Amino acid sequence: MSHYRCAEGRLATGEREFRLVDEAAGVDITVIPDQGAVWSAFGARDESGNRMELFHPAEHFTYPGGSPVLFPVTGRSACDGELGFYRHRGTRYPMPIHGFARDLPWDVEDVAADEAGARITCSLQDTEETRRVYPYAFRIALTYRIREGAVSVEAAVENPGEEPLPFHLGYHPYFRVPIRPDGDRTRCLMRVPSFATWELENLCATGRQVPLDPREAFEPERALGDETMDRVFAALRPDEGGQVRCWVRDPEAGYAIEVEFDAREFPVFVVFTSPEAPYACLEPWTGLPGGLGDDTPSGQRAQRVPPGGRVENTVRVRVRRA
């Protein structure tokens, strides 16, 4: 009998939620398709068998989930020095911070639990409404999967149109730091294998990388202290297997949360944190903040899907005993 389960429930609003469980590893996640396909809860069983919630409710977002989806832009857009707009092919379009996918209901395509794991696949495609701000035909599918204690977020962006499709994709997980409410945030440790950042002006990337003082870097890991960050890391360094591994570690709780990805798929990594709030956001992004404007470094560096093409990428998250 499989130790993977998937259970469907209902919120008070009537919206469906799906809980995926790995009984053997003691890991569970919840996904709400109607709320932007948000990964809304993330649990792990501690050494006493008690469930620890690893997400802090997302702040600055319409829905209070733990890890909103950022598409078709990551971060803010800017046009003529004004935030919230971008210029594309001579036309000026509005674009909310982090895009619109996080505020739309997604379709449920597949839900399953078998010997290979538990999974749910949600999808979103263009509408007349989305084309008013993003003039493209598109389809994006996200599969959340639990297997052997790891959570993977597998994305596929498809272009059914007749011209190249520019896009940014990212995730904004609010991990609890410290993991336990009585912990000390200042003593929690973080690792990001990078010694450079992307320079920002008006919260948008200039396209220039700036060397990071080794004393300010998080390689090797060091304590968060009382530092406030909204830092966009560049030049990420993969391990021998070609993967970038970033983490936050709570030494008092004895656990670390690790985010793993391919730097060729996600060349941008953002850390957002504040000593006033018990979280650290570790955010893999495919693109730079600044939007999809033709006249911006972020727009010029955006990924592009050829007509009839498809781009795939994966982020994995693990809870480890520290």
Side-chain angles (χ1 to χ4, degrees):
M1 183 177 179
S2 172
H3 57 260
Y4 298 109
R5 292 190 297 106
C6 183
E8 179 179 345
R10 292 277 177 176
L11 301 174
T13 57
E15 296 165 320
R16 292 183 297 172
E17 64 175 1
F18 294 84
R19 186 167 181 260
L20 311 182
V21 182
D22 181 341
E23 296 281 8
V27 174
D28 66 81
I29 68 171
T30 300
V31 177
I32 307 177
D34 287 335
Q35 295 185 1
V38 67
W39 176 6
S40 65
F42 182 22
R45 190 169 58 229
D46 67 15
E47 64 277 2
S48 300
N50 299 314
R51 182 184 183 278
M52 303 182 297
E53 176 57 52
L54 303 176
F55 274 160
H56 183 279
E59 299 183 357
H60 320 298
F61 287 90
T62 304
Y63 297 120
S67 182
V69 178
L70 318 181
F71 178 88
V73 299
T74 49
R76 295 165 175 82
S77 299
C79 180
D80 302 326
E82 184 179 3
L83 294 176
F85 297 88
Y86 72 103
R87 180 176 289 106
H88 183 51
R89 295 179 177 175
T91 300
R92 180 178 157 109
Y93 296 94
M95 180 63 72
I97 182 173
H98 296 319
F100 52 72
R102 59 190 175 87
D103 293 324
L104 296 178
W106 292 47
D107 294 327
V108 177
E109 293 198 349
D110 177 58
V111 181
D114 50 34
E115 294 298 333
R119 67 182 182 274
I120 177 172
T121 300
C122 306
S123 66
L124 182 72
Q125 62 185 37
D126 63 286
T127 64
E128 182 178 345
E129 179 184 359
T130 67
R131 287 191 291 272
R132 291 194 185 103
V133 299
Y134 182 53
Y136 288 98
F138 72 87
R139 180 181 178 276
I140 177 172
L142 283 184
T143 297
Y144 292 94
R145 187 188 309 271
I146 291 184
R147 178 179 170 83
E148 297 178 352
V151 180
S152 62
V153 186
E154 304 159 11
V157 180
E158 299 176 353
N159 180 4
E162 298 179 353
E163 55 186 331
L165 172 69
F167 77 93
H168 297 162
L169 172 66
Y171 307 103
H172 202 311
Y174 284 74
F175 296 119
R176 288 188 184 272
V177 178
I179 290 176
R180 298 193 188 279
D182 58 351
D184 184 349
R185 176 197 180 278
T186 64
R187 296 184 59 194
C188 291
L189 307 168
M190 185 172 74
R191 189 238 182 180
V192 179
S194 165
F195 290 93
T197 61
W198 291 99
E199 181 183 62
L200 302 181
E201 288 183 1
N202 198 24
L203 302 174
C204 298
T206 66
R208 177 173 173 262
Q209 294 186 18
V210 180
L212 189 61
D213 188 319
R215 294 170 297 180
E216 298 178 345
F218 287 87
E219 176 68 338
E221 65 173 12
R222 68 174 175 89
L224 286 171
D226 58 0
E227 190 168 353
T228 296
M229 272 182 287
D230 194 357
R231 186 173 297 169
V232 185
F233 287 93
L236 299 161
R237 300 186 178 188
D239 61 17
E240 293 181 355
Q243 296 292 294
V244 176
R245 289 183 169 84
C246 306
W247 63 69
V248 286
R249 182 163 67 90
D250 185 341
E252 293 183 357
Y255 291 90
I257 304 169
E258 180 184 271
V259 179
E260 175 190 331
F261 54 93
D262 189 322
R264 293 168 297 182
E265 298 173 348
F266 295 91
V268 179
F269 190 75
V270 178
V271 175
F272 175 57
T273 186
S274 167
E276 284 77 39
Y279 60 75
C281 299
L282 306 186
E283 311 172 37
W285 292 7
T286 67
L288 291 166
L292 295 172
D294 297 333
D295 54 350
T296 64
S298 55
Q300 294 162 3
R301 294 171 184 260
Q303 289 197 22
R304 285 172 168 77
V305 188
R310 174 184 174 105
V311 170
E312 299 179 348
N313 55 52
T314 300
V315 173
R316 293 181 179 84
V317 180
R318 295 180 177 85
V319 185
R320 299 190 184 278
R321 287 283 297 169

